[in-house]
Amino acid sequence: KRLVVLVSGSGTNLQALLDAIATTGAEAYGAEIVAVGADRDGIEGLARAERAGLPTFVCRVKDHGSREAWDAALAEAVAAYEPDLVISAGFMKIVGKEFLARFGGRFVNTHPALLPSFPGAHGVRDALAYGAKVTGCTVHFVDDGVDTGPIIAQGVVEVRDEDDESALHERIKEVERRLLVEVVGRLARNGYRIEGRKVVIQ
Ligand code: GRF
């Protein structure tokens, strides 16, 4: 299976996928990353892709006349690599109708909170501020909402009294990277069905 991974930052989830595929072998893992895309330049996530010898592309909102035009351009850029699955690994933009028309049902996102709790761009900060005792991460299919698509898997992380946002996020990312690697491999190897809010992996 062909994966395109979308990033916006440090790309440690991308790195976890790259390392797993390199260790396991694309054949046994069931997938290979064919390209990495971003919504901005100069991020570590793109540098990681370049170090791995992968094609990269950048699709910036400000280079397009409207949000819709950006969304269509992103869909085109991704489609050029003919992915079976698109993985948002810390991609911090909300895609639109055009992108979902083409990749809905095979667009997976990872979120650093236990959805439906704490959706949006500050899930770690919000859980901490709320005083949650446990939080975690969610791997889900992307639908037309924000972090509202069918849940594939979740991992739980204890919140410690001494946690600040970055310490908690780092601990969440340790679980998140393992969960993403495991889920993407299973989706790629076994195939899956989405039945309403349920995801059935064969
Ligand atoms: C991840 O925790 C992701 O869930 C969140 O931002 C983080 C990205 O980390 N949206 P990285 O870029 O994969 O290191």
Side-chain angles (χ1 to χ4, degrees):
K1 290 290 187 303
R2 298 169 59 87
L3 308 178
V4 168
V5 181
L6 301 179
V7 297
S8 293
S10 54
T12 63
N13 278 285
L14 162 68
Q15 192 63 55
L17 286 168
L18 286 168
D19 295 346
I21 293 166
T23 307
T24 318
E27 205 58 40
Y29 183 72
E32 59 174 334
I33 298 174
V34 295
V36 173
D39 59 327
R40 64 197 75 180
D41 278 308
I43 52 165
E44 182 60 14
L46 289 172
R48 292 179 192 276
E50 284 150 18
R51 284 198 289 273
L54 292 175
T56 61
F57 59 89
V58 177
C59 194
R60 297 182 310 180
V61 174
K62 63 172 178 264
D63 292 340
H64 297 275
S66 68
R67 188 76 191 208
E68 291 72 22
W70 169 80
D71 183 62
L74 180 70
E76 282 300 318
V78 171
Y81 292 98
E82 298 179 336
D84 297 293
L85 280 171
V86 185
I87 314 296
S88 160
F91 186 65
M92 297 304 276
K93 286 285 185 304
I94 306 299
V95 297
K97 275 197 296 292
E98 169 79 24
F99 193 94
L100 288 173
R102 293 173 81 154
F103 300 108
R106 49 201 181 106
F107 184 30
V108 172
N109 180 48
T110 178
H111 180 75
L114 293 175
L115 295 173
S117 296
F118 314 119
H122 306 292
V124 180
R125 183 191 311 171
D126 296 343
L128 204 52
Y130 193 87
K133 295 302 179 189
V134 292
T135 186
C137 50
T138 303
V139 180
H140 65 97
F141 281 104
V142 176
D143 67 4
D144 55 4
V146 177
D147 298 326
T148 53
I151 291 173
I152 307 167
Q154 294 188 297
V156 177
V157 175
E158 298 270 335
V159 182
R160 295 177 186 158
D161 295 344
E162 70 276 12
D163 272 338
D164 61 11
E165 182 181 349
S166 63
L168 177 55
H169 201 167
E170 268 319 301
R171 214 162 54 251
I172 290 170
K173 286 171 88 170
E174 283 163 23
V175 175
E176 180 177 38
R177 293 191 280 260
R178 284 200 303 274
L179 194 67
L180 186 67
V181 164
E182 192 238 323
V183 163
V184 170
R186 282 175 50 218
L187 292 173
R189 287 191 303 276
N190 305 358
Y192 59 92
R193 291 191 318 277
I194 303 176
E195 295 167 355
R197 290 207 58 79
K198 237 173 100 54
V199 176
V200 179
I201 301 182
Q202 265 87 2

